[in-house]
Amino acid sequence: MDPVSRDLDHENLDPRPNMAPTADLETRLGDLQVGGGGDMLIDDYDTLGEKQDVAIITPDESIDEPINPLADDYEAMKERYLPLLPDLEVLYEATDTWHIENYRHLPKKARGPNFECGGHPWRILLFPFGNNVDFASLYLEQGHDDDDKPPDDWYACVQFTLVMWSTHDPSIHTAQTANHRYSADESDWGFTRFAELRRMFAGRWDGTGKSMVDNDAVNLTAYLRIYKDPTGVLWHKFINYNSKKETGMVGLKNQGATCYLNSLLQSLYFTNAFRKSIFMIPTENETEKKNSAWALQRLFYLLQTSEDAVSTQELTASFGWETKDIFLQQDVQELSRILMERMEARMKGTGAENALARMFVGKMKTYISCINVDYESSRIEDYWDVQLNVRGNRSLDESFKDYIQVETMDGENKYFAEGHGLQDARKGVIFETFPQVLHLQLKRFEYDVERDAMMKVNDRYEFPEVFDAAPYLSAGADRSEPYLYQLHGVLVHSGDLTAGHYYAFLKPTSDGHFYKFDDDKVTRATLKEALEENYGGDYANMANGHVGVRNPYTRTLSTKRSMSAYMLVYIRKSREKDILLPVGEDDSPSHLARQLIEERAALERKRKDREEAHLYLPVSVVTEANFKAHQGFDLIDWSGNPSTSSAPQTFRILRASTVGDFTKTIAETLQLPAEQVRLWVMVNRQNKTIRPDQPLPDLNMTMNEACSRYSSRDKPFRLWAESTTNVDGGKAQWPNVNPSPGVSPPILVFLKYFDADDQTLKGFGHVYLKKTSKVAEMIPVIQQLLGWSPGQDSMSLSSASSTGLLSPPHSTTGNPSLHLYEEIKHSMIEPMKAKSTLQQAEIQDGDIVCFQRVLSEKESSAIASTGGYTDAREYYDYLMNRIIVSFSPKMATENSDDDFTLALSRKMSYDQFSAKVGERLKVDPTHLRFTTVIASTGKPKAPVRRNPAASLYQVLTPAVGAYVNSNQRTDALYYEILEMSLSELETKRNIRVWWLPEGVVKEEAIDILAPKNGIVQDLYASIKRRANLSDEAADRLRIYECNGCRISRELPANAVLVGVPDYSTLYAELIPEEERNANEEDWTIFAFHFDKEPNKTHGIPFKFVIKPGEVFKDTKERLSKRTGIKGKQFDKLKFAIMQRSTYARPTYLNDEDEICAMNLRPDDSLGLDHVNRTRLHPAKGDSIFIR
């Protein structure tokens, strides 16, 4: 099926005048006659692109082929080829036949007469010789002319059949059927390959002995049926679909595999009371990307106000998720619980405290009640959701009955009631209360024992629109309000375990419709789409022999539906007004709207700037104030923080403006008249410095011309703004840098002052000096500017920088009180020779001279003792190696002061930078341990070993062979404050021992810091303290070493810890009483757990006593007591003897067997065969987290 090209000629269907008559069919078809072998070529035909994403096609043939009706029996033809579509309401029907004569002389495209259906004209569009194919092309189009177009929002959902049939024999016909959503943009639809041309004119149509086109005539009939659109999107292709316009709601963008997150967020958003509670969290002073409450508020506000789909990037970034987390589909139940916990924590102490608990938390009672005595043990717990079994249950009610099913404890499984001994009892769970919003998690994913894998349960499972929870309450529950629940949301998974998609059906209002939220698309849905189509199970009306429906995600065929509900949201009907209360603009935090307005305004400015960028020129301007505030190399730091006072100011000016105009702009920022400001061009020197070179000579020159003339094409345009207060007669007095020929121009020199007392290096100002002046003559000039010369008034820094040509005092005798250095480049700071002239020293415009006061030995010693620098060259070296390092506690704290930065030198030794950190934290630096940081995740990488010879640079940038490790941050470290010195800590080893308090069903990790050269006995004291053991119990303690979930050896107390590998697992337990009281005939065997195959070990191994003459039925009772596994769980175990000689062939035991009679060897073991439950769930490290 294809739409007709929009380029078709809609005006004249007849042959144009003054043109040769249309060739007859034989000429047009050429060698396409029956028996011919040529290909059909049609010139000058409009080319159509065939569409494959078409609506449903009703097949011409089915398995049980009915007798074909005659084409002139319209009702029979309609019943045969145009069956009614279920669940859709018919609005209008029409039938029209176009009788065609002189088929061979039709134009390349012809239209039939208009007929009316649903108040609009329709007609058949025919390409008699094919639409660029070897078939007659046939379409149905709406019959509006160009001057009578339908409204832009007009559409019709049409099911139609087009029939071509013989004028002489109505039994000869062919038909094709389609569904299409006609609109003002898509006004035609049909079949490019309707009927093959060579067959139409052949003498035998499908073996009838007659041709379809007889005597150059044929009939075309259109059967048309218009359906009511129940959702507004029936057969919609969603091209240019606007969710906001159609539904008033917007969706969420999918970041990669976040559809599960989107469906959950939409469900929570339309739980209006939850949204309002989130808005009540105070976040005005915590508007940062790490704040998940603020990010969720922004997301909800955008869903409430945005016109387009909203991104979840800010929210997932606030969770601390990385790119890999975005492309992993997580467990929705776990995500929901963690999100609730985080929001609950943020609501404490606010007006929303306990709001979530009041909405989502119910209470259930777990009980064991004795049958024959009056004794009950029970515990009431809170729950946020209920997990229900799908497998084995056909409906929600059956799942709840299964959930509260009572288990009878009798026989060997009797319950020990305190004061009554072993008793028959009933064990179960019953609900005390249900929450206002009931989240039901349907267990659609379960472990399949036969397949040994997790599988999706696609069984049919029905759930009602209204659910009565009262039958599942305890007898004493409060029933003052009915426990009737209205279905509010159905969260759906389509696909299987390995591939699929999540979306949600939600009912935003109590009396409204369901809507489908599929990522960024929101559409109205029917009740059937929300409920019945998500029950799962087999497809309805599947014909015999049908191979199934193709799953769009797995590309496999299946007779079972791949889409099924996995989470249901019910709202208590008596509380619907409280839960679905209106939430408007006034309920959202005002700062959210303010922030978004500011962000949108900033984006608009950026957009406008991009559009007008060709009209403007960016210019960076350096002022005297920037130079004075700068502490470092060159005049300023061009790559530094633009918000600092030392950063240049960037102006965006019109290229057509003049230098004089821009000078006025700069003068206004300096609060000076324009005459007192002069602009210098700054150039890039070969030594990688940027210095002033010459003033801009012509104030009438345009800035675009100045940039082209004085700046490199690939370099930014940089200027230095020189200012002066030396004014004579209202005119600024500038040193003449371009004197007449023969006169040597003065040199512009910048001065920096290194203050050894304050350990600072800052710009001091600038002066003009003669080239013939000697270096020594600079000292009195600087002293005069500093106010150090006797009898001279102290001159401020600003006056120093604004004077004209300064002459040194006449007297230059005496020892110099200053050291002078030339700052040539970052790594070259050279002392200046006092007797050389500035010309001999190669000083030129823009050069920098650094000076410092000469220090006495006493002053130098005092400064050096505090770690300071006494020489400007040393300080320059520090600056070149300076690095700002971020320090954070390894274990995160709520105190923001624990995170800090320090300016350190890369050359610092371990002890030096450790002392700096200790000084900042006010702790002994020997008790600090540092850990490097993974660049990609920000997580701790590896502890830093104390090495006095290692520098900070080596710690932050470790070499890996000839390469540098790129996955480590070079500007950050974690720190820990230890209870002992690091040197002492490095003599110890962290050993984890798993303590077993109850058989092998429970384990507790105990981390012990033991001496590296210690013995196993050293571990006992820590285990005793952590496990709270008495002295008597501690004497029965033992530790054994395991590898691969099998015991390697029992460790004697004097065994050295060096002999215990890091990869081994250590278990500690009290020697069982049975083993302590064993007879001489008894012996022990090592036991372990495995899953079907002996090499698939799991669980905690143990040591077990074997008694001679005991049948295995009795041995099993002792095994149950030893392991702590009881009841049905123990009954599922199978036991086998594992012999080393036949390792791959376990010998399974029966109740009548005697282990002692099996001639076992010392290295044989006992195996417990059962499913490894731990592998059915992700490891804790892989679980969902929200920062």
Side-chain angles (χ1 to χ4, degrees), residues 569-791:
V569 182
Y570 282 93
I571 297 177
R572 196 172 181 179
K573 296 192 73 171
S574 58
R575 303 296 178 90
E576 272 188 314
K577 290 184 179 179
D578 299 328
I579 300 301
L580 299 180
L581 76 172
V583 181
E585 183 79 18
D586 296 338
D587 296 303
S588 59
S590 58
H591 65 271
L592 292 178
R594 191 166 60 249
Q595 290 166 0
L596 288 169
I597 290 172
E598 292 171 357
E599 291 173 9
R600 287 165 182 164
L603 288 173
E604 179 61 23
R605 286 194 299 270
K606 288 182 179 179
R607 184 195 64 78
K608 189 175 181 181
D609 289 347
R610 286 195 301 269
E611 291 178 354
E612 299 177 351
H614 65 287
L615 301 175
Y616 289 86
L617 176 70
V619 181
S620 297
V621 178
V622 180
T623 65
E624 198 79 22
N626 300 141
F627 175 57
K628 293 173 184 177
H630 176 55
Q631 179 168 315
F633 300 102
D634 218 344
L635 294 182
I636 61 165
D637 183 8
W638 293 98
S639 60
N641 187 346
S643 62
T644 61
S645 58
S646 62
Q649 187 173 356
T650 300
F651 293 84
R652 186 169 176 264
I653 61 172
L654 284 169
R655 292 179 177 271
S657 61
T658 65
V659 173
D661 295 335
F662 186 53
T663 303
K664 291 178 182 178
T665 302
I666 301 300
E668 289 175 4
T669 63
L670 298 176
Q671 298 180 351
L672 290 172
E675 295 78 13
Q676 294 176 224
V677 176
R678 181 165 66 169
L679 300 180
W680 286 63
V681 177
M682 301 189 74
V683 298
N684 294 66
R685 295 183 175 180
Q686 290 184 349
N687 59 8
K688 297 183 180 179
T689 61
I690 302 172
R691 304 288 174 82
D693 182 60
Q694 60 178 310
L696 285 174
D698 185 2
L699 295 180
N700 296 319
M701 182 188 305
T702 66
M703 291 299 296
N704 188 58
E705 184 181 354
C707 179
S708 301
R709 185 177 298 182
Y710 298 107
S711 177
S712 301
R713 179 174 297 179
D714 58 339
K715 302 292 183 183
F717 194 28
R718 298 185 174 113
L719 300 175
W720 174 56
E722 180 186 14
S723 60
T724 183
T725 56
N726 187 5
V727 180
D728 185 10
K731 186 176 181 181
Q733 301 299 306
W734 301 104
N736 188 3
V737 295
N738 295 306
S740 57
V743 179
S744 179
I747 303 173
L748 170 65
V749 178
F750 288 89
L751 301 175
K752 282 186 180 179
Y753 175 39
F754 170 58
D755 189 337
D757 296 322
D758 294 338
Q759 294 291 293
T760 58
L761 175 69
K762 291 188 176 180
F764 183 74
H766 71 279
V767 294
Y768 285 89
L769 299 172
K770 294 179 180 179
K771 290 185 178 181
T772 57
S773 299
K774 292 190 176 182
V775 171
E777 293 175 350
M778 293 177 62
I779 295 174
V781 174
I782 297 172
Q783 288 176 333
Q784 177 183 337
L785 296 176
L786 289 168
W788 291 352
S789 297

Side-chain angles (χ1 to χ4, degrees), residues 1157-1172:
M1158 300 180 71
N1159 298 322
L1160 301 184
R1161 301 195 312 185
D1163 57 354
D1164 292 340
S1165 55
L1166 175 65
L1168 284 68
D1169 182 0
H1170 58 104
V1171 173
N1172 178 11

Side-chain angles (χ1 to χ4, degrees), residues 262-381:
N262 292 348
S263 60
L264 175 64
L265 290 173
Q266 292 281 21
S267 170
L268 295 175
Y269 171 80
F270 284 106
T271 307
N272 294 358
F274 176 84
R275 190 197 329 170
K276 190 169 184 178
S277 299
I278 295 298
F279 283 155
M280 293 173 68
I281 300 175
T283 58
E284 187 167 7
N285 299 323
E286 303 177 56
T287 55
E288 57 179 15
K289 291 186 177 180
K290 291 184 179 180
N291 186 345
S292 54
W294 172 75
L296 188 59
Q297 283 182 345
R298 274 177 62 96
L299 180 75
F300 281 179
Y301 182 78
L302 288 170
L303 283 173
Q304 195 168 294
T305 60
S306 179
E307 295 296 321
D308 302 305
V310 179
S311 172
T312 57
Q313 286 184 344
E314 283 184 348
L315 183 66
T316 54
S318 74
F319 291 170
W321 291 5
E322 302 165 13
T323 303
K324 66 181 180 65
D325 301 306
I326 300 300
F327 288 91
L328 290 176
Q329 288 191 347
Q330 309 281 10
D331 180 70
V332 176
Q333 181 192 21
E334 185 182 2
L335 174 64
S336 175
R337 287 183 178 179
I338 295 175
L339 183 60
M340 294 285 189
E341 289 174 5
R342 294 294 183 272
M343 295 303 108
E344 271 270 289
R346 294 305 306 271
M347 289 178 181
K348 287 184 178 179
T350 71
E353 186 170 2
N354 295 324
L356 299 189
R358 288 193 296 270
M359 266 186 281
F360 297 101
V361 172
K363 294 184 181 295
M364 68 170 64
K365 180 173 74 172
T366 304
Y367 65 89
I368 299 178
S369 178
C370 294
I371 298 174
N372 301 317
V373 297
D374 185 15
Y375 181 87
E376 180 178 284
S377 172
S378 63
R379 182 177 68 254
I380 295 179
E381 298 174 309

Side-chain angles (χ1 to χ4, degrees), residues 14 113-114 163 189 211 221 327 434 540 578-579 836 847 876 1088:
D14 299 322
N114 283 5
V163 181
W189 198 257
S211 64
T221 300
F327 288 91
F434 284 101
D578 299 328
I579 300 301
S836 299
D847 281 355
Y876 269 105
F1088 70 98

